[in-house]
Amino acid sequence: MKTKLLAVCAAVAISVCVPAQAQAPIEIQWWHSMSAALGDWVNDLAKQYNASQTQYKVVPTYKGQYDESMTGAIAAFRAGNAPHILQVFEVGTATMMASKGAIVPAAKVLNDAGFKFEPTEYVSAVAGYYTAPNGQMLSYPLNSSTTIFYYNKDAFKKAGLDADKPPKTWPEVFAAASKLKASGHSCPFTTSWVSWTQLESFSLWHNTLFASKNNGFDGNDAQLQINTPLHVRHFENLAKASKEGSFVYKGRNNTADASFPSGECAMITGSSGLYARVAKEAKFAYGISTLPYYPDVKGAPQNTAIGGASLWVMAGKKPEEYKGVASFLNFLNDTKVQAASHQRTGYLPVTMGAYKLTEASGFYDKNPGTDVAVTQMIRKATDKSRGIRLGNFVQIRTIIDEETEQIWSGKKSPKEALDTAVTRGNEQLARFARANK
């Protein structure tokens, strides 16, 4: 009896003295489309969060450009191995909203985990874009951007242009491009994301519809309206500049981005999120200004279109994993984290608190032009300018790329190309409407 008692006591002593093995953190898979300087930012966010606690570990993985990562995630979901968090660009919003069984609303994930979530704290244009008709925010706006204008001050001086007065209107842009061309510049003006900058934001900035049904917000049965006299006029001007060599088309999506910080192109319309790369790579003095507009258009300028992407929470995960997702989203929602991301990347501060903190820090005074994206987006929006939410938008953008490329090659007139884009795009819209009645 004594021997048994000693054995039991020894076993208890061993169990008390030997520490329990540390439990491995729950991994949260995050698929994204950020590369170069923005890829560094995403990785740093994950590292910062992971270092702040021990229960969860966010694992960011680059999955290609936006359209590639979205296609890959859909396939992964069907195979039962989707990530916990997927970064989706804004044109995929309507498609994700319609995929009810594939996603869990971000607001629900946060609220279920006990985190305070107040949509009123967000910049209204941002919150409204990712919010369902019932007022529930469906995805978390990680990197909201808008279209702005960058220019090379050194190139302007060489061409005899005033480096402190960027062109504010399209006629001024084309005039500056001609002078830059005459001074020997091989790429006076270019643009990334042709559909987003030259049609989507262009339309909203001019308080003109891109599509009917208030750009798709009022129903799936919308139709494109990008072949109006205003749109045709603009592409006629771009076509003329292309023929003269003062506008140089660099390719689809954000292919043109590299051409500005490298010094190859003197002016570019692109994402406010390009700022991180410009600030890091440009070896010349540069300026940031508002998207150009036509001064004879009533209501212009209004406000530009939201761009960038948001984080969608995928369905089919374990309850404890959703708590980890909520914890990470809550971390991203911190005002200081938001402000630091805005200042580092050029993406919008999606909460007013982050904007005010950045303003109070003197960042905008020290870095002129970095507030352009914010001021363009916090203007009061109209029904025509609050955003564009269309089904099959990814396919529509591809159609617009295909048709406008016919303009730059001289194979189609601007009107013919835009008319065809409308016809083809409307077929995609009708297909989406039939599938989501």
Side-chain angles (χ1 to χ4, degrees), residues 306-328:
I306 192 171
S310 64
L311 302 183
W312 292 80
V313 182
M314 304 302 287
K317 305 301 180 181
K318 298 175 182 177
E320 59 268 28
E321 293 172 343
Y322 282 125
K323 287 180 180 178
V325 171
S327 172
F328 180 54

Side-chain angles (χ1 to χ4, degrees), residues 216-277:
F217 273 78
D218 294 346
N220 286 337
D221 54 337
Q223 293 197 321
L224 297 182
Q225 297 185 352
I226 56 173
N227 56 348
T228 70
L230 174 62
H231 294 103
V232 171
R233 187 222 306 190
H234 182 52
F235 273 81
E236 285 175 345
N237 289 333
L238 287 170
K240 182 173 180 287
S242 176
K243 192 173 182 180
E244 294 171 351
S246 56
F247 165 64
V248 179
Y249 175 65
K250 287 291 183 179
R252 300 182 185 184
N253 301 334
N254 65 341
T255 306
D257 282 358
S259 67
F260 181 75
S262 70
E264 180 188 356
C265 295
M267 300 183 291
I268 186 172
T269 46
S271 170
S272 58
L274 178 58
Y275 172 75
R277 187 169 185 177

Side-chain angles (χ1 to χ4, degrees), residues 66 87-90 130 140-145 307-311 347:
Y66 283 132
Q87 184 189 32
V88 178
F89 58 165
E90 86 287 1
Y130 297 113
Y140 182 81
L142 172 74
N143 56 309
S144 293
S145 64
S310 64
L311 302 183
Y347 284 118

Side-chain angles (χ1 to χ4, degrees), residues 83-202:
H84 298 83
I85 303 171
L86 173 65
Q87 184 189 32
V88 178
F89 58 165
E90 86 287 1
V91 295
T93 300
T95 299
M96 295 300 288
M97 287 177 71
S99 305
K100 294 182 175 64
I103 62 103
V104 181
K108 183 180 187 307
V109 172
L110 282 159
N111 289 328
D112 286 352
F115 292 107
K116 182 182 177 184
F117 184 64
E118 294 290 345
T120 54
E121 294 176 355
Y122 290 80
V123 174
S124 60
V126 174
Y129 192 82
Y130 297 113
T131 299
N134 66 0
Q136 186 179 51
M137 191 177 285
L138 299 178
S139 61
Y140 182 81
L142 172 74
N143 56 309
S144 293
S145 64
T146 194
T147 45
I148 60 175
F149 181 83
Y150 300 87
Y151 69 104
N152 184 325
K153 289 189 172 185
D154 292 350
F156 265 49
K157 289 177 181 176
K158 184 181 176 182
L161 294 162
D162 190 337
D164 295 321
K165 288 187 178 180
K168 297 287 188 181
T169 68
W170 280 112
E172 290 171 352
V173 170
F174 293 124
S178 294
K179 286 191 176 182
L180 286 160
K181 178 69 177 174
S183 72
H185 213 291
S186 62
C187 179
F189 170 61
T190 190
T191 187
S192 59
W193 300 103
V194 169
S195 176
W196 183 45
T197 63
Q198 306 306 313
L199 285 170
E200 296 163 36
S201 262
F202 177 87

Side-chain angles (χ1 to χ4, degrees), residues 1-8:
M1 187 71 180
K2 186 177 179 181
T3 304
K4 287 183 180 180
L5 184 61
L6 287 171
V8 170

Side-chain angles (χ1 to χ4, degrees), residues 169-171 202-209 228-231 233-234 292-302 384:
T169 68
W170 280 112
F202 177 87
S203 298
L204 272 59
W205 197 225
H206 289 86
N207 201 29
T208 300
L209 287 174
T228 70
L230 174 62
H231 294 103
R233 187 222 306 190
H234 182 52
Y293 67 100
Y294 287 99
D296 61 324
V297 177
K298 187 178 179 181
Q302 187 63 44
K384 294 178 180 178

